[in-house]
Amino acid sequence: MKWIAVLALGLSFNALAAAEGSGGGNGGGIHKCGPKIEVYDLYEGRTRYGYEFPAKIPSVEKYLARALAKIGNSSPRLKYKIQQQLEYLNDGHFLPRDGLRMEVINDANILVVGMGCSYVQLANWDDLSGNVLVKNEYYSQLTNLDKAALKLHEATYKVYRDDTHAHDSS
């Protein structure tokens, strides 16, 4: 269970402590190495910080509930705000779509990528429509852990942008 706290709190507090940026889009990406893909936050956690994540989790919803509980232990206010954003996303604003082409956004902050691998933009929060557009060709291949990490990423960075009035998540 330690991995839940590490990912949830690390992502949440890193997002909220980031410096204010300007311009660009807002979204998460994947680390793609041949046919293997994973949400970049998880790849970065393993590669840069040595975190270990389980191969399988029971469901996206159960993971998110556990992550929110861990966040709530440290910051009930932050938990509430992230929970509100997750509910918003689950209410028809998280849109996997076929045939999308996305450029890597300005605030992606990609520090490491495996040799012969690439970073691919997976999702982008469109402030004009209030929706998160997601490349379904990759999203449909993600594990439950990756899907949960992507939703947590999007919700957390939306809280950051709202709280700091930032235009992006850099």
Side-chain angles (χ1 to χ4, degrees):
M1 291 303 152
K2 183 178 179 184
W3 63 271
I4 293 174
V6 168
L7 181 62
L9 290 172
L11 177 59
S12 298
F13 292 122
N14 286 343
L16 296 173
E20 183 173 336
S22 61
N26 307 292
I30 58 171
H31 182 262
K32 183 175 185 320
C33 209
K36 182 178 176 3
I37 61 172
E38 68 181 314
V39 167
Y40 187 76
D41 292 339
L42 299 176
Y43 170 77
E44 186 177 42
R46 281 187 313 94
T47 305
R48 291 182 68 195
Y49 306 111
Y51 299 152
E52 293 184 21
F53 303 104
K56 292 184 178 183
I57 61 170
S59 72
V60 172
E61 295 76 20
K62 285 185 180 181
Y63 167 78
L64 290 172
R66 285 189 234 158
L68 285 170
K70 295 289 185 180
I71 293 168
N73 289 339
S74 296
S75 175
R77 180 180 161 275
L78 179 59
K79 173 193 172 190
Y80 175 78
K81 288 182 172 195
I82 293 172
Q83 187 171 20
Q84 293 300 306
Q85 290 302 327
L86 288 168
E87 289 172 8
Y88 176 81
L89 291 176
N90 288 333
D91 193 29
H93 298 281
F94 188 86
L95 307 174
R97 297 285 190 255
D98 292 322
L100 294 179
R101 179 175 178 257
M102 293 183 184
E103 298 297 325
V104 174
I105 57 174
N106 295 335
D107 65 357
N109 197 22
I110 304 152
L111 298 178
V112 292
V113 176
M115 295 295 290
C117 303
S118 61
Y119 175 90
V120 176
Q121 195 66 43
L122 173 62
N124 200 341
W125 193 301
D126 178 10
D127 286 326
L128 293 177
S129 69
N131 295 320
V132 175
L133 302 174
V134 183
K135 291 174 81 166
N136 194 46
E137 69 184 280
Y138 295 121
Y139 184 75
S140 63
Q141 299 176 46
L142 293 176
T143 67
N144 284 342
L145 176 63
D146 287 290
K147 288 177 180 180
L150 178 63
K151 283 192 173 183
L152 184 61
H153 171 102
E154 295 300 337
T156 301
Y157 277 103
K158 178 63 169 149
V159 169
Y160 160 74
R161 292 190 306 275
D162 287 350
D163 282 0
T164 63
H165 307 289
H167 300 287
D168 66 19
S169 303
S170 59

